[in-house]
Amino acid sequence: MTPAAPAYRRLSVEERRSQLLEAALSLFAHRVPEDVSLDDVAEAAGVSRPLVYRYFPGGKQQLYEAALRSAAEELRHCFDEPQDGPLLPRLARVLDRYLTFVGRHDAGFSALLQGGSVVETSRTTAIVDGVRRAAAEAIYSHLGLPEPGPRLRMTVRMWITAVEAASLIWLDEDKQPPADELRDWLVDQFVAVLSVTAARDAQTADLVRRALSAQT
């Protein structure tokens, strides 16, 4: 007997939208946004161009922003880490997930952070800034500081900027050094900048004594 063909299943609205976003994210991960067309997204998803427009009537700009929000939400999940155990291993695990995300999204990540895309708007910039703020808040939480002072806030935000810059250089250098070496170096950088700030800020000095000196 000839095996029966699998029954066709109509996707729900949310399932279809998720399918289109996944296809778009896959394309934006390896090509800059202006090099991706709606036809490309339709082909990757195995649907027609009119169907893409049905779900994203605003065209590529709307699709790009929706895909960016989806990627931003995934990136925020990189910071989800139980607040148990020594601080630095927790930070290392967060960086492991972050660098995995960077490696998967490659060209799209570079285009996103470097800007200059023809589809960049104040809305896309706000999405990226939201991820940075979420990263900073996660670090403050892991440091056990609900109200960090201005010097410590500046230190953490400067380190986040350094991590982004290092990630872009890492991609440009064909992902060298290996991700685990880059992760360890970024953790060391975090300790270094905190130590420098501690010399000028009592709150940071107390943090260094209380949290970083107890790494076991």
Side-chain angles (χ1 to χ4, degrees):
M1 295 179 61
T2 302
Y8 174 78
R9 184 175 72 88
R10 178 183 289 275
L11 298 181
S12 69
V13 171
E14 282 305 311
E15 287 174 329
R16 180 66 74 188
R17 191 173 188 277
S18 295
Q19 178 199 27
L20 295 175
L21 285 176
E22 184 177 347
L25 277 172
S26 178
L27 292 170
F28 289 134
H30 300 100
R31 291 154 60 182
V32 294
E34 48 265 37
D35 289 344
V36 177
S37 69
L38 287 183
D39 286 331
D40 294 329
V41 176
E43 181 179 358
V47 301
S48 66
R49 179 188 176 98
L51 182 64
V52 179
Y53 264 112
R54 185 186 306 172
Y55 283 83
F56 299 97
K60 188 170 79 170
Q61 181 65 45
Q62 183 185 9
L63 177 59
Y64 176 67
E65 289 180 11
L68 183 56
R69 289 189 187 93
S70 178
E73 186 62 26
E74 182 181 350
L75 189 52
R76 283 190 179 94
H77 286 310
C78 292
F79 313 131
D80 294 341
E81 177 67 29
Q83 296 187 12
D84 300 319
L87 173 64
L88 298 186
R90 281 184 263 155
L91 184 59
R93 290 191 290 271
V94 169
L95 286 171
D96 276 335
R97 292 191 289 271
Y98 176 83
L99 291 173
T100 297
F101 177 92
V102 171
R104 280 206 324 271
H105 290 80
D106 211 321
F109 181 86
S110 297
L112 171 63
L113 289 188
Q114 289 176 329
S117 169
V118 296
V119 295
E120 183 181 15
T121 66
S122 59
R123 291 188 300 274
T124 61
T125 300
I127 293 169
V128 177
D129 286 342
V131 174
R132 292 175 178 139
R133 287 193 297 272
E137 291 299 327
I139 292 173
Y140 301 149
S141 179
H142 279 281
L143 293 176
L145 295 171
E147 296 184 8
R151 289 183 184 270
L152 186 53
R153 288 199 305 272
M154 185 177 292
T155 299
V156 169
R157 291 172 63 186
M158 287 171 59
W159 181 75
I160 290 171
T161 299
V163 170
E164 290 182 358
S167 300
L168 292 172
I169 296 170
W170 183 62
L171 292 176
D172 193 50
E173 294 287 341
D174 296 324
K175 300 177 184 176
Q176 292 297 320
D180 58 341
E181 293 183 19
L182 177 59
R183 173 204 65 206
D184 291 343
W185 182 71
L186 291 172
V187 171
D188 290 344
Q189 288 283 324
F190 185 67
V191 174
V193 294
L194 282 180
S195 298
V196 170
T197 303
R200 296 174 176 269
D201 180 63
Q203 184 185 47
T204 308
D206 179 65
L207 167 67
V208 170
R209 285 192 300 269
R210 177 171 47 85
L212 300 184
S213 64
Q215 299 303 308
T216 57

